[in-house]
Amino acid sequence: ARLEETVKKTVAENPVVVYSKTWCSYSMEVKALFKRIGVDALVIELDQLGPQGPQLQKVLERLTGQFTVPNVFIGGKHIGGCTDTVKLYRKGELTPMLSELNIN
Amino acid sequence: ARLEETVKKTVAENPVVVYSKTWCSYSMEVKALFKRIGVDALVIELDQLGPQGPQLQKVLERLTGQFTVPNVFIGGKHIGGCTDTVKLYRKGELTPMLSELNIN
Ligand SMILES: N[C@@H](CCC(=O)N[C@@H](CS)C(=O)NCC(=O)O)C(=O)O
Ligand SMILES: N[C@@H](CCC(=O)N[C@@H](CS)C(=O)NCC(=O)O)C(=O)O
Ligand code: FES
């Protein structure tokens, strides 16, 4: 589908992508983490896209197996949600991943 | 308003009340906390009440100043959200509060 191609293009062309919802605290946490470590993430707020939001959320599920937000991609690779991202950060594995992409 | 009276009655008659949304991770965290410490909280899922959900959420804001979920009451007293409740628990202040109400 065309939306699927859009997502693939987005995560390929942007080193850090967060599919988020503005009023979701888990989404806020992951956005705040990237901000705190100086990473300029591309944030797509699914609740601000009208009917395209739910469509995108289904496409993301098809592509990644994950329906929930936040949905995080680094270097085109699907990372997971808030818990996964924070876990990587605490294990010290997030920063090397970002350095490899020259974005930290 | 009648809904306001319903809320006041609910929090007066039930020692622990959590206004929640089923798909919200912060709501899940607070419900899991009460379960873990053996507290039988009355949970009201605002996303499962049709149009009454948003109405209740506005009423809660009028009564407590808090629009967000989860919205937690203990012994009829407004406690706050997920962060507030977890903070109380970590400070060791939650369990005494519950014991005072003979629910722990
Ligand atoms: N463990 C996951 C939890 C993800 C989750 O449950 N997300 C919720 C919001 S907090 C969700 O997407 N619910 C369905 C929805 O909002 O459409 C994470 O850390 O990201
Ligand atoms: N710090 C607050 C955050 C509460 C919050 O932002 N809740 C969000 C969901 S996680 C909310 O209610 N957003 C508006 C809505 O869902 O209607 C807490 O710990 O409870
Ligand atoms: S909606 Fe509450 S944490 Fe995501």
Side-chain angles (χ1 to χ4, degrees):
Chain A
R2 186 150 68 77
L3 217 47
E4 222 173 282
E5 290 315 304
T6 305
V7 172
K8 289 184 185 170
K9 190 170 193 282
T10 303
V11 303
E13 296 181 352
N14 296 277
V16 181
V17 183
V18 181
Y19 290 91
S20 162
K21 287 186 187 180
T22 55
W23 33 255
C24 167
S25 294
Y26 263 35
S27 297
M28 291 180 212
E29 277 191 25
V30 102
K31 287 181 285 187
L33 171 59
F34 283 125
K35 186 168 185 191
R36 194 160 65 244
I37 61 180
V39 170
D40 189 17
L42 175 68
V43 176
I44 294 151
E45 301 290 3
L46 295 181
D47 57 301
Q48 294 186 328
L49 301 174
Q52 218 182 52
Q55 291 170 7
L56 250 183
Q57 197 167 351
K58 291 211 196 80
V59 165
L60 286 164
E61 180 179 31
R62 212 155 58 227
L63 286 173
T64 65
Q66 179 184 320
F67 178 73
T68 56
V69 292
N71 203 332
V72 180
F73 293 78
I74 297 177
K77 181 159 158 275
H78 179 242
I79 297 300
C82 176
T83 316
D84 304 308
T85 308
V86 169
K87 205 173 280 175
L88 274 182
Y89 175 67
R90 291 196 178 140
K91 289 207 280 176
E93 293 176 24
L94 192 65
T95 323
M97 203 181 285
L98 297 162
S99 310
E100 241 172 69
L101 302 163
N102 288 327
I103 42 164
N104 214 35
Chain B
R2 186 150 66 80
L3 217 47
E4 224 174 279
E5 291 312 306
T6 304
V7 172
K8 289 184 184 170
K9 190 170 192 283
T10 303
V11 303
E13 296 180 354
N14 296 278
V16 181
V17 182
V18 180
Y19 291 91
S20 162
K21 287 186 188 179
T22 55
W23 32 255
C24 166
S25 294
Y26 262 36
S27 299
M28 291 181 212
E29 278 190 25
V30 103
K31 288 181 284 187
L33 171 59
F34 283 125
K35 184 168 187 192
R36 193 159 68 244
I37 63 180
V39 170
D40 190 17
L42 175 69
V43 176
I44 294 151
E45 301 290 1
L46 295 180
D47 58 300
Q48 295 187 329
L49 301 174
Q52 217 182 54
Q55 291 171 8
L56 250 184
Q57 198 167 350
K58 290 210 196 82
V59 165
L60 285 165
E61 180 179 31
R62 210 154 59 224
L63 287 173
T64 65
Q66 179 184 320
F67 177 74
T68 56
V69 292
N71 203 331
V72 180
F73 293 79
I74 297 176
K77 183 157 155 277
H78 179 242
I79 296 301
C82 176
T83 316
D84 303 308
T85 308
V86 169
K87 205 173 282 176
L88 272 183
Y89 174 68
R90 291 195 177 140
K91 289 207 281 175
E93 292 176 24
L94 192 66
T95 323
M97 202 181 285
L98 298 163
S99 310
E100 240 171 70
L101 302 164
N102 289 327
I103 43 165
N104 214 33

